[in-house]
């Protein structure tokens, strides 16, 4: 999956983030596409492959099996990594539903990534490296407690990895990896076993 850059100019007062966010909010993004803010650019990400969506659906169904009532799973929800001035749209985000309900529907503002309990990214061929590096570091820096990376293009073979215990150094202190075909345990508040044998590699 390749990404297209949206041209922009720095506003005269140097408030680049405000300008980028305003532009992001006003974009008319084609159906299925996602717009993200990274490295001072607005990046348009094209729709993923059907296998990508199939994995997301399986993960979502598994999470719903034991999800606390106060949490909800969101697709295409923009999350702001405030310390880095980035805005990503993960494949899935688990967040308290009260925060979403309280958000101004007319503002179109992204949610604070620090409020997420779990972020899920599923790699595509063109963005796997970014999910493994830039997004890994960004979610850790934001303090997202769990980052689930489902990487069909891992050099070791297709792999699902759960990163936990984010540190101030933009890394996660702990990781559990399961090759496709092996189960992966997701701890509280989920307390579920994620089966990966149905994931297309």
């Amino acid at each position: 999956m390749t990404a297209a850059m949206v041209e922009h100019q720095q506003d005269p007062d140097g408030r680049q983030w405000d300008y980028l966010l305003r532009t992001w909010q006003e974009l008319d993004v084609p159906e299925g596409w996602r717009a993200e803010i990274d490295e001072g650019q607005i990046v348009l990400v094209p729709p993923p492959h059907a296998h990508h969506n199939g994995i997301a659906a399986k993960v979502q169904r598994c999470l719903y099996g034991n999800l606390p009532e106060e949490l909800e799973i969101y697709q295409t929800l923009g999350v702001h990594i405030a310390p880095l001035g980035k805005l990503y749209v993960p494949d899935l985000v688990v967040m308290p539903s009260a925060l979403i309900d309280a958000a101004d529907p007319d503002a179109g503002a992204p949610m604070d990534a620090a409020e997420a309990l779990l972020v899920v990214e599923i790699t595509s061929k063109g963005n796997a490296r970014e999910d493994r590096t830039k997004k890994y570091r960004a979610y850790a820096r934001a303090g997202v407690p769990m980052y689930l990376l489902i990487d069909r293009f891992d050099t070791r073979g297709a792999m699902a990895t759960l990163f936990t215990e984010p540190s101030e150094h933009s890394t996660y202190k702990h990781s559990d990896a399961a090759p496709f075909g092996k189960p992966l345990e997701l701890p509280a508040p989920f307390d579920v076993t994620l089966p990966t044998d149905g994931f297309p590699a």
Side-chain angles (χ1 to χ4, degrees), residues 36-38 77-79 81 86-90 134-135 138-139:
E36 300 185 327
I37 300 175
D38 197 5
L77 178 69
V79 294
I81 295 89
K86 296 176 183 285
L87 190 160
Y88 293 139
V89 184
K134 285 201 296 186
K135 291 189 177 182
Y139 295 138

Side-chain angles (χ1 to χ4, degrees), residues 99-160:
L99 294 174
I100 304 296
D101 295 341
D104 182 352
D106 297 321
M111 302 304 294
D112 186 352
E115 302 288 353
L117 280 80
L118 171 70
V119 165
V120 180
E121 293 283 8
I122 302 163
T123 61
S124 295
K125 203 164 190 178
N127 74 351
R129 184 176 178 183
E130 292 188 355
D131 289 347
R132 295 172 196 146
T133 56
K134 285 201 296 186
K135 291 189 177 182
Y136 163 89
R137 290 192 293 267
Y139 295 138
R141 180 69 183 277
V144 176
M146 301 183 207
Y147 174 38
L148 177 59
L149 175 64
I150 300 176
D151 192 351
R152 294 183 294 146
F153 306 97
D154 192 302
T155 56
R156 301 168 294 175
M159 194 80 59

Side-chain angles (χ1 to χ4, degrees), residues 25 33 42 44-46 71 134 143 148:
Q25 291 168 327
W33 288 62
I42 295 178
L44 291 182
V45 184
L71 301 180
K134 285 201 296 186
L148 177 59

Side-chain angles (χ1 to χ4, degrees), residues 4-23:
M5 297 294 183
V6 173
E7 295 291 333
H8 71 279
Q9 298 174 345
Q10 177 117 5
D11 68 334
D13 296 326
R15 293 188 298 271
Q16 186 181 33
W17 171 255
D18 292 341
Y19 174 81
L20 286 168
L21 181 59
R22 207 163 49 245
T23 304

Side-chain angles (χ1 to χ4, degrees), residues 149-178:
L149 175 64
I150 300 176
D151 192 351
R152 294 183 294 146
F153 306 97
D154 192 302
T155 56
R156 301 168 294 175
M159 194 80 59
T161 305
L162 180 67
F163 298 98
T164 55
E165 300 179 34
S167 79
E168 66 275 11
H169 303 296
S170 300
T171 61
Y172 283 94
K173 297 177 183 177
H174 188 74
S175 65
D176 289 302

